[in-house]
Amino acid sequence: MLGIELICSDPACAEVKEAAVFSLEELERLTCDGCGCTLETLNVWEIVEMRATRRADDLRRAA
Ligand SMILES: [Zn+2]
């Protein structure tokens, strides 16, 4: 999973938005909430799924 920071490509709007997507194709379908313009990517980072790790620890403790 990827975390992304986006900015509206319309300089008059310039709304910044953060989103989480599973693929870069999904990222390309995102548009600005304010004006519907396309978005430009400012930052991309990988989201590590913490929940899966924690659940594995719980199972180990119960066994
Ligand atoms: Zn916009």
Side-chain angles (χ1 to χ4, degrees):
M1 203 164 179
L2 297 169
I4 38 170
E5 189 178 19
L6 301 146
I7 188 163
C8 182
S9 60
D10 183 351
C13 171
E15 185 166 303
V16 176
K17 173 190 174 85
E18 272 190 29
V21 296
F22 290 101
S23 68
L24 290 175
E25 289 86 69
E26 200 175 330
L27 167 58
E28 282 166 17
R29 285 200 297 271
L30 293 172
T31 54
C32 176
D33 291 336
C35 68
C37 278
T38 54
L39 296 163
E40 286 172 22
T41 307
L42 292 177
N43 272 309
V44 182
W45 61 93
E46 201 171 338
I47 297 175
V48 180
E49 194 55 83
M50 298 301 287
R51 223 179 311 155
T53 313
R54 218 176 296 144
R55 205 208 263 168
D57 285 346
D58 287 345
L59 288 172
R60 220 172 296 143
R61 221 171 292 136

